[in-house]
């Protein structure tokens, strides 16, 4: 996968109008549609390190914008974003709901260990085990991961959800959150 640099400021993500989110970044042939990816946010089951579920639907409805970031310890672009996430954590950690999710549930222990080394105020989750026994949950998880035509995932993958709960952008690949305009977009009132 090429290193992808998304040159649009986050504020432009939220200027998107119409029924569809703007998919930005690496173009990967998908096995799922954009609508399936967006719908998966309301259907996927996420669990944390202690097995407690995260109610992503309620989080997205709490009136703050939400960033859901699929992340992996083995992903160079994910690791490169950590400097930017540290900047957000220092400047405005409570302005957004920020949720990290293992890009592959099987990698969760390694993702969790690596993620903890960054000392960020947010948690990392994984897709729940219901995907192993429930066909509908497995389909939702596949859409949530943005499954590619060859069965892979694009990392990082970001869902930017506005305060209204609407998906405003899906970003494939690395964003430099430390750039002043992106940090300002995350910290603006």
């Amino acid at each position: 996968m090429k290193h992808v640099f998304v040159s649009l400021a986050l504020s432009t993500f939220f200027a998107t109008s119409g029924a569809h989110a703007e998919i930005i970044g690496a173009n990967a042939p998908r096995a799922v549609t954009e609508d399936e990816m967006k719908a998966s946010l309301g259907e996927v089951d996420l669990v944390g390190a202690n097995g407690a579920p995260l109610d992503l639907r309620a989080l997205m409805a709490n009136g703050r914008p939400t960033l859901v970031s699929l992340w992996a310890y083995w992903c160079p672009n994910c690791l490169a974003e950590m400097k930017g996430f540290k900047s957000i954590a220092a400047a405005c950690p409570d302005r957004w709901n920020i949720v990290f999710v293992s890009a592959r549930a099987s990698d969760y222990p390694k993702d969790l260990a690596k993620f903890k080394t960054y000392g960020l105020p947010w948690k990392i989750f994984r897709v729940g085990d219901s995907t192993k026994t429930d066909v509908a949950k497995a389909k939702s998880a596949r859409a949530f991961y943005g499954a590619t035509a060859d069965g892979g995932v694009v990392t990082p993958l970001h869902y930017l959800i506005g305060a209204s709960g609407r998906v405003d952008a899906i970003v494939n690949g690395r964003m430099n959150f430390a750039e002043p305009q992106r940090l300002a977009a995350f910290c603006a009132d």
Side-chain angles (χ1 to χ4, degrees):
M1 172 79 36
K2 293 180 186 176
H3 291 283
V4 177
F5 178 75
V6 180
S7 61
L8 299 174
L10 285 174
S11 58
T12 63
F13 293 154
F14 300 105
T16 306
S17 61
H20 293 282
E22 182 177 1
I23 298 183
I24 302 168
N27 185 10
R30 299 249 186 231
V32 295
T33 68
E34 174 187 335
D35 287 338
E36 289 171 322
M37 290 174 72
K38 289 169 30 182
S40 72
L41 291 166
E43 300 165 353
V44 70
D45 292 332
L46 299 177
V47 296
N50 60 0
L54 171 69
D55 188 345
L56 186 57
R57 292 161 291 283
L59 191 68
M60 290 173 20
N62 77 358
R64 289 192 308 196
T66 301
L67 169 65
V68 177
S69 182
L70 276 71
W71 192 88
Y73 76 94
W74 46 263
C75 166
N77 287 326
C78 300
L79 302 177
E81 287 180 341
M82 287 296 107
K83 181 179 178 185
F85 281 112
K86 285 184 174 190
S87 295
I88 293 168
C92 57
D94 298 325
R95 170 71 178 100
W96 281 62
N97 303 312
I98 297 182
V99 177
F100 290 88
V101 181
S102 282
R104 295 190 299 217
S106 60
D107 286 343
Y108 183 70
K110 290 180 181 177
D111 287 342
L112 177 62
K114 182 68 175 177
F115 186 80
K116 283 183 177 181
T117 67
Y118 291 103
L120 296 172
W122 310 293
K123 296 178 181 176
I124 187 167
F125 298 85
R126 66 175 174 82
V127 170
D129 293 333
S130 61
T131 60
K132 296 176 184 174
T133 57
D134 184 324
V135 173
K137 292 292 183 182
K139 185 177 177 182
S140 292
R142 187 168 186 231
F144 177 71
Y145 289 132
T148 61
D150 65 0
V153 296
V154 175
T155 55
L157 174 66
H158 304 286
Y159 290 93
L160 292 150
I161 302 134
S164 68
R166 184 180 82 111
V167 178
D168 289 323
I170 300 170
V171 180
N172 298 318
R174 178 177 175 238
M175 291 195 301
N176 186 351
F177 295 107
E179 287 187 345
Q181 75 271 21
R182 288 186 184 82
L183 184 57
F186 266 95
C187 295
D189 289 328

